[in-house]
Amino acid sequence: MRPDRRSVLTSLAGAVAWPAFAVPRESLGQLRRALFGSPVDVIVADADPRRRDAALARTLADLQTINDRWNAWKPGELTALNAAVAADRPCLVSPMLATALRGALAMERASLGCFNAGIGGLVGAWGFHADVMRDGPRPDPRTLGRWRDTRPSLAQLRWSGRRVESVNPSLRVDLGGYAKGFAIDAALDALQRSGADGALVNLGGNLGAFSVPGKRPWRVGLRDPFDADGLLVTLDTGGREAVVTSGSYERHRLADGERVTHILDPATGRPASAVVSATVVHPSAAVADAAATALLVAGPRRWPAVAQRMGLAQVLVVERDGRCTATGALAARLRFDARLVREQLRLI
Ligand code: AMP
Ligand code: MG
């Protein structure tokens, strides 16, 4: 089925995408499911229908595996690890989880701690470990105090092969800010190996794509965080790239009557709300995912330093007052929607 623009635009978060030039209808295959709590689209360009359908089915199965294993509040590999940590026991993890934990720790270090996948206890305390958001109280100040005192970090994991234990029993791993990017990378690796001409994987507005050299088949639209139906800008991807957005508007709930977002500042234990959305374009979706979360936490003043430290060249940040700032390397690629005049965009 050819993805039509309208159907893709109904995706909820960050970005949408469609082929940038005419692709023969018969060479495109698409599937749409709900995974990772959001709509998931996979589009594969391959003239061989059997190979294409097999690649789509395999991709879906791989995405489903990560979705099932790494949910922070439903029984799976991640909750088993967290239970072992809480009980001060070692735990044997899969090679895939070991790779993700090592990658997430590297992101914690590179982001100066703004990204911290050891944040599960705090995310749970703020009420975000649930499928449906409910109003409720803020966490007890003592809970936040304990978080700041014990400072959980993936650096507190001790490894012996794939056996891992934590020196801090209050560490709870939450891969909500990383697993989608990791899953996109894994899916694109497999799709490239399948021999497809191109593919796009969109997990709730976080997307990665590749196309054979010399072609630029994917045009990505970044959603306007202030207008669910509007696009802020578009850009064309080239080669293999990921475009990942973290938005403080994506998941939120009322805590003591105040709207709070699901992205938390590990330094304070509180929601990070000054940046509305942070978009990162990077060859690795896992890096882009961690980085977008980190920049949102870093906030309007600190994000350029964190981006530099993380080696990010292509970033777009939208602040609460509507101000947009892009790094020069990304700004040069953006095409502007009428809604956003060029002067509104500060370049750094
Ligand atoms: P994302 O949409 O990629 O920014 O991920 C947000 C999710 O990451 C949240 O729902 C939490 O599960 C988790 N999270 C929240 N704050 C942080 C943080 N500072 N570092 C790492 N993960 C976080
Ligand atoms: Mg993220």
Side-chain angles (χ1 to χ4, degrees):
M1 184 183 67
R2 187 186 178 90
D4 74 280
R5 184 159 183 254
R6 186 182 296 274
S7 74
V8 183
L9 276 172
T10 57
S11 299
L12 279 174
V16 294
W18 58 97
F21 62 84
V23 180
R25 173 189 285 265
E26 56 283 2
S27 74
L28 280 180
Q30 177 182 22
L31 61 80
R32 168 173 275 214
R33 293 285 187 285
L35 286 173
F36 301 98
S38 20
V40 165
D41 288 293
V42 182
I43 308 174
V44 179
D46 189 331
D48 179 338
R50 283 195 24 208
R51 198 168 62 177
R52 188 181 65 220
D53 292 347
L56 276 170
R58 214 173 30 246
T59 303
L60 181 65
D62 291 348
L63 294 174
Q64 183 84 53
T65 300
I66 294 181
N67 174 82
D68 295 348
R69 283 192 193 174
W70 295 356
N71 188 299
W73 62 92
K74 289 181 188 156
E77 188 180 20
L78 202 64
T79 51
L81 168 63
N82 284 335
V85 169
D88 230 345
R89 280 190 283 105
C91 181
L92 191 67
V93 300
S94 68
M96 190 165 70
L97 181 54
T99 303
L101 291 172
R102 292 200 166 102
L105 173 57
M107 293 296 104
E108 181 183 328
R109 291 189 165 131
S111 69
L112 306 171
C114 290
F115 177 83
N116 179 349
I119 204 164
L122 196 60
V123 178
W126 279 97
F128 289 106
H129 282 169
D131 290 334
V132 179
M133 293 295 99
R134 295 193 199 293
D135 302 352
R138 299 172 146 264
D140 187 316
R142 279 171 307 185
T143 306
L144 301 187
R146 262 199 309 279
W147 160 266
R148 287 190 296 264
D149 292 345
T150 60
R151 273 311 188 94
S153 155
L154 293 194
Q156 293 154 349
L157 293 175
R158 298 287 175 268
W159 291 88
S160 161
R162 284 195 286 115
R163 245 170 75 105
V164 63
E165 55 193 315
S166 173
V167 295
N168 180 355
S170 60
L171 175 76
R172 298 288 179 277
V173 180
D174 177 333
L175 293 175
Y178 191 69
K180 288 198 194 97
F182 186 95
I184 291 169
D185 283 338
L188 291 182
D189 287 345
L191 288 164
Q192 272 187 309
R193 281 197 304 269
S194 81
D197 292 332
L200 180 130
V201 179
N202 185 353
L203 305 191
N206 302 298
L207 59 88
F210 73 86
S211 50
V212 289
K215 291 192 176 178
R216 302 193 321 181
W218 306 112
R219 177 157 298 161
V220 177
L222 298 185
R223 187 185 141 189
D224 182 344
F226 298 107
D227 172 6
D229 299 323
L231 290 184
L232 201 55
V233 285
T234 63
L235 78 147
D236 289 351
T237 63
R240 178 166 163 173
E241 282 191 302
V243 182
V244 176
T245 298
S246 275
S248 53
Y249 53 86
E250 268 180 64
R251 290 191 96 204
H252 44 80
R253 61 186 283 272
L254 287 181
D256 286 340
E258 189 197 340
R259 189 175 134 140
V260 293
T261 177
H262 64 134
I263 300 175
L264 306 172
D265 182 346
T268 62
R270 294 178 199 288
S273 57
V275 165
V276 172
S277 78
T279 299
V280 176
V281 180
H282 194 275
S284 157
V287 170
D289 194 353
T293 307
L295 298 183
L296 206 128
V297 169
R301 276 197 305 281
R302 219 154 68 95
W303 76 257
V306 173
Q308 195 172 35
R309 180 75 209 282
M310 297 187 88
L312 309 173
Q314 302 188 58
V315 174
L316 174 70
V317 166
V318 181
E319 290 172 44
R320 204 163 34 185
D321 63 5
R323 184 170 21 191
C324 306
T325 309
T327 56
L330 180 57
R333 301 176 60 189
L334 298 178
R335 294 184 201 188
F336 292 81
D337 192 65
R339 240 177 297 268
L340 181 78
V341 289
R342 213 167 248 279
E343 293 76 61
Q344 270 177 279
L345 190 82
R346 291 190 304 141
L347 305 183
I348 61 162

